[in-house]
């Protein structure tokens, strides 16, 4: 597997993209993106588990079932959430407008939105923007990458290529995150394109498993958005024999590469959490079940007290053990061991479920690194999990206390 | 029912208290409190649901079963949590030292601790402090109120008296909260004393129900402490006939008064959350079950995005509906109505599960009040719940980024 320099959703064969400034964002920044496959693709999607679902989520959940998906239209600046029937019709109209311009069936178009909640989309601007974004489709995906961002500070993209059955298969993706990122996909959007030939139901299973190991293991602030959406399109242009089962040649390599792509984007989301100054990775070992391992990893990564301690470089390890304790996982407390890593240093801070003597200065130095890793050994089974998050800083409060102005 | 001006744990007949500076806190502030009943009392307690339980929690859970509890020894500045066998022996020694000084059985003494996690108690200082605090026992409970505080900015105390069977019954309490306060009691300590005569198992049931409607409905930051403890002592000196069933005269009045005492302390905890600038109360109506009502109320009160929006006076109502959505309660989204109240103003912001037009300036004014109320009508049943929280400010981050220094 090879990483493609500056790769994104147009790296795989047959995919085009574009981004425009449609005037949805008050800032005047890029706010509309289109991803397009020149040939029909099989699609799979994972959507928010929030009971309050934005209109584009409800609609894309229907359209993703189509056997011939070819486009994803995305706007930032307005989430089209909590907008009732009018919002749903607007989401339908977005698909219809794109389908008309590209001569596709309406359900060949998926839609995603992110931004402010509870305000109707400015449909005249959307209409004009769709005309422009279709005209601008090209093999350059960089503007589309920018156009899906909201409070993100960095662009999030990755692409890899690998050989399957003697053919070059490419997987590329773009994502946006920042606030409201939490286990069960908090507003994060992720769009993956690949030219592998693969059977639809198999792709759906692989993709959901991969989402569970990547975007669903990221937490910025514990809130779960109304709009979270992750979609993959696979158009088959790599020319491999269609993969229909896990026994097929290339299945394992594809699963691994897809996981790498999703986890890379997930980490970029965590690293760029609102106000974040550092990336925190929590690795849990020896849990009774995978579910338990994930609960512990997410509980630690989601703790405001752990996050502020790491922001401040404060060696308050007890908060980590405390967060393990309230994860509701099955635990044998007096077996728990915890290590922390940062820069080149690694030290043990908890043994047998209790604090042990350690070099305070070294721990403070570890917590001051740009990337802090927490390793938790539960000694209660074989399951493992990893979660990613960020510290909680003054800037998180600043950004969110005054988001709309 | 009458509120006793400046009442606290010594308001009820036969209760004494004291507080001293034992040198546990680096600041030199009051850090040890003793509450004492001159006659044996029936006791009940509610303790943290964190799997990682501090030594004093484990020990008090045992001692609270005794039929003759007479004292509660409390220290602040050190939580005696994650301290292994040595920590447990130290908690036992605290009870033993108090029991020796007051000539009580060891299990007549309960113990609670709050403060830094993972550091052994300074037992020499504790030993000397216990000598002093026993000597200082008096009918003045004000120093005890101060001595249980950590990062609290305000003292939390209340007492009421009511008439039961022609006798005056008094209920008083003190509490500490501030950081780490969350549904399921995050470190909060609450100590209630009353002179009512009541049967032990009935008191335990009433007290747990009351805790579920008060301390367990408070959230500051979503973390659940290792040390949360709420204890009630009832010494019977009011002279009423022992209440043994809910049919007894005075039962309802006592339940109501106890709820008032616990909810008053819970609100004081929310109001004084670390960095809080205002109190937020969420009232949920029309839920399918009480559990659902509580889930929704806690989800909204716990949302970092709702909390920062209210801190900033930003009328971002969509975040409230979003937090209702991820509560995992049974919902009919298009029936949900939401109102907000602050100062003298009240307006509706959500109808039929979607935003409606409202006076933005008025909403911003409401969010700027010192006390903001959110009313959520689910129209899905009859159950109701109330939760209390606070906004999320820069100061929360400041306090917790640098807690130990």
């Amino acid at each position: 597997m090879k990483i493609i320099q500056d790769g994104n959703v147009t790296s795989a064969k047959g995919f085009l993209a574009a981004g425009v400034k449609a005037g949805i964002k008050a800032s005047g920044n890029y706010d509309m993106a289109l991803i397009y496959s020149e040939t029909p693709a099989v699609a799979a999607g994972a959507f928010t588990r929030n009971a309050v679902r934005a209109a584009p989520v409800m609609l894309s959940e229907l359209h993703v079932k189509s056997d011939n998906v070819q486009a994803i239209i995305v706007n930032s600046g307005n989430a089209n959430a909590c907008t009732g029937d009018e919002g749903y019709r607007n989401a339908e109209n977005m698909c219809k407008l794109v389908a008309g311009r590209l001569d596709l069936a309406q359900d060949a178009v998926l839609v995603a939105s992110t931004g402010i909640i509870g305000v109707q989309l400015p449909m005249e601007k959307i209409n004009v923007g769709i005309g422009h974004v279709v005209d601008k489709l090209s093999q350059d995906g960089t503007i589309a990458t920018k156009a899906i961002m909201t409070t993100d500070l960095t662009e999030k993209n990755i692409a890899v290529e690998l050989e399957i059955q003697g053919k070059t298969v490419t997987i590329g993706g773009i994502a946006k995150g920042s606030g409201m990122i939490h286990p069960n996909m908090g507003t994060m959007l992720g769009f993956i394109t690949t030219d592998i030939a693969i059977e639809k139901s198999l792709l759906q299973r692989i993709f959901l498993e991969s989402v569970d190991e990547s975007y669903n293991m990221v937490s910025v602030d514990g809130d779960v958005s109304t709009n979270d959406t992750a979609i993959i399109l696979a158009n088959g242009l790599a020319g491999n024999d269609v993969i229909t089962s896990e026994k097929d040649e290339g299945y394992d390599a594809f699963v691994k590469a897809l996981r790498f792509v999703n986890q890379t984007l997930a980490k970029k989301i965590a690293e760029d959490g609102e106000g974040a100054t550092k990336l925190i990775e929590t690795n849990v070992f020896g849990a009774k079940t995978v579910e338990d391992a994930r609960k512990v990893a997410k509980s630690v990564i989601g703790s405001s007290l752990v996050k502020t301690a790491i922001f401040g470089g404060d060696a308050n390890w007890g908060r980590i053990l405390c967060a393990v304790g309230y994860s509701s996982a099955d635990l044998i407390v007096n077996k728990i061991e915890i290590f922390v890593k940062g820069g080149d240093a690694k030290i043990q801070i908890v043994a047998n479920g209790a604090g042990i003597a350690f070099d305070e200065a070294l721990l403070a130095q570890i917590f001051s690194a740009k990337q802090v890793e927490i390793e938790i050994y539960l000694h209660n089974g074989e399951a493992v999990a990893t979660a990613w998050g960020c510290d909680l800083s003054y800037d998180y409060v600043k950004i969110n206390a005054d988001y709309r102005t």
Side-chain angles (χ1 to χ4, degrees), chain A:
Chain A
M1 191 184 80
K2 202 180 79 185
I3 293 172
I4 299 170
Q5 182 84 30
D6 299 324
N8 58 45
V9 280
T10 55
S11 298
K13 284 183 204 74
F15 285 99
L16 305 177
V20 296
K21 297 171 178 176
I24 305 162
K25 284 181 182 164
S27 65
N29 283 339
Y30 288 104
D31 52 16
M32 182 179 283
L34 179 64
I35 300 165
Y36 173 67
S37 173
E38 292 174 320
T39 58
V42 295
F47 302 94
T48 183
R49 295 174 199 170
N50 193 316
V52 177
R53 301 163 93 72
V57 167
M58 292 189 275
L59 191 62
S60 289
E61 274 191 305
L62 290 178
H63 288 187
V64 80
K65 291 173 186 158
S66 160
D67 286 326
N68 298 298
V69 173
Q70 272 188 264
I72 309 171
I73 180 76
V74 189
N75 76 276
S76 57
N78 184 318
N80 193 10
C82 310
T83 46
D85 294 341
E86 185 182 343
Y88 194 79
R89 283 194 301 274
N90 286 339
E92 285 182 320
N93 275 327
M94 284 178 72
C95 294
K96 203 179 289 180
L97 288 164
V98 172
R101 294 265 177 180
L102 290 168
D103 199 21
L104 302 174
Q106 201 177 312
D107 68 356
V109 183
L110 307 181
V111 57
S113 301
T114 177
I116 192 164
I117 296 178
V119 177
Q120 295 297 342
L121 285 172
M123 285 307 290
E124 286 187 25
K125 290 176 181 172
I126 297 267
N127 192 347
V128 175
I130 285 174
H132 290 156
V133 81
V134 169
D135 288 344
K136 286 193 184 296
L137 280 173
S138 79
Q139 286 185 312
D140 182 352
T142 54
I143 305 296
T145 310
K146 285 187 211 296
I148 65 172
M149 292 162 63
T150 53
T151 52
D152 305 62
L153 299 177
T154 61
E155 293 156 36
K156 296 165 189 72
N157 58 287
I158 177 79
V160 300
E161 61 180 43
L162 66 158
E163 198 157 298
I164 287 182
Q165 305 163 12
K167 310 285 185 185
T168 298
V169 166
T170 302
I171 312 173
I174 61 176
K176 64 95 31 183
S178 217
M180 264 189 148
I181 306 304
H182 190 59
N184 301 332
M185 305 174 57
T187 293
M188 67 125 312
L189 302 179
F191 305 108
I192 313 296
T193 57
T194 176
D195 45 25
I196 198 169
I198 189 166
E199 194 258 325
K200 187 176 173 77
S201 64
L202 186 65
L203 180 67
Q204 178 74 25
R205 182 174 66 71
I206 291 171
F207 189 59
L208 290 187
E209 284 172 6
S210 190
V211 164
D212 275 341
E213 292 178 326
S214 54
Y215 311 114
N216 281 347
M217 296 304 289
V218 171
S219 178
V220 170
D221 60 13
D223 278 274
V224 178
S225 155
T226 49
N227 286 61
D228 300 327
T229 299
I231 292 167
I232 185 168
L233 304 184
N235 66 11
L237 291 180
N240 61 299
D241 295 337
V242 181
I243 294 186
T244 59
S245 109
E246 54 193 39
K247 288 168 199 149
D248 288 342
E249 189 191 333
Y251 172 90
D252 287 335
F254 176 70
V255 168
K256 206 176 140 192
L258 180 62
R259 186 194 300 137
F260 175 80
V261 165
N262 285 328
Q263 290 189 342
T264 300
L265 292 173
K267 270 194 264 193
K268 285 177 194 250
I269 289 170
E271 205 165 10
D272 189 28
E274 281 170 351
T277 72
K278 58 193 86 171
L279 175 67
I280 308 173
E281 180 173 308
T282 301
N283 290 294
V284 174
F285 304 91
K288 204 166 193 176
T289 64
V290 170
E291 203 193 1
D292 273 356
R294 289 178 180 167
K295 275 183 190 168
V296 170
K298 286 178 185 179
S299 183
V300 170
I301 219 77
S303 160
S304 293
L305 288 172
V306 171
K307 290 152 67 85
T308 45
I310 294 179
F311 168 62
D314 180 19
N316 205 326
W317 61 267
R319 293 176 178 177
I320 301 173
L321 185 56
C322 177
V324 173
Y326 64 71
S327 65
S328 80
D330 189 290
L331 300 172
I332 303 169
V333 175
N334 63 15
K335 285 192 173 182
I336 297 170
E337 292 184 295
I338 303 178
F339 296 77
V340 290
K341 285 161 75 172
D344 298 329
K346 174 177 174 175
I347 55 171
Q348 182 164 13
I349 52 174
V350 170
N352 305 319
I356 56 174
F358 54 80
D359 181 340
E360 286 258 356
L362 186 59
L363 185 60
Q365 181 195 317
I366 287 171
F367 275 14
S368 304
K370 287 298 289 177
Q371 186 163 339
V372 174
E373 249 178 275
I374 302 171
E375 287 184 0
I376 301 165
Y377 295 85
L378 299 177
H379 297 296
N380 194 24
E382 302 293 327
V384 301
T386 300
W388 299 275
C390 59
D391 54 343
L392 175 57
S393 74
Y394 298 113
D395 279 354
Y396 174 83
V397 178
K398 187 169 180 186
I399 292 164
N400 285 297
D402 204 19
Y403 179 66
R404 305 195 319 164
T405 54

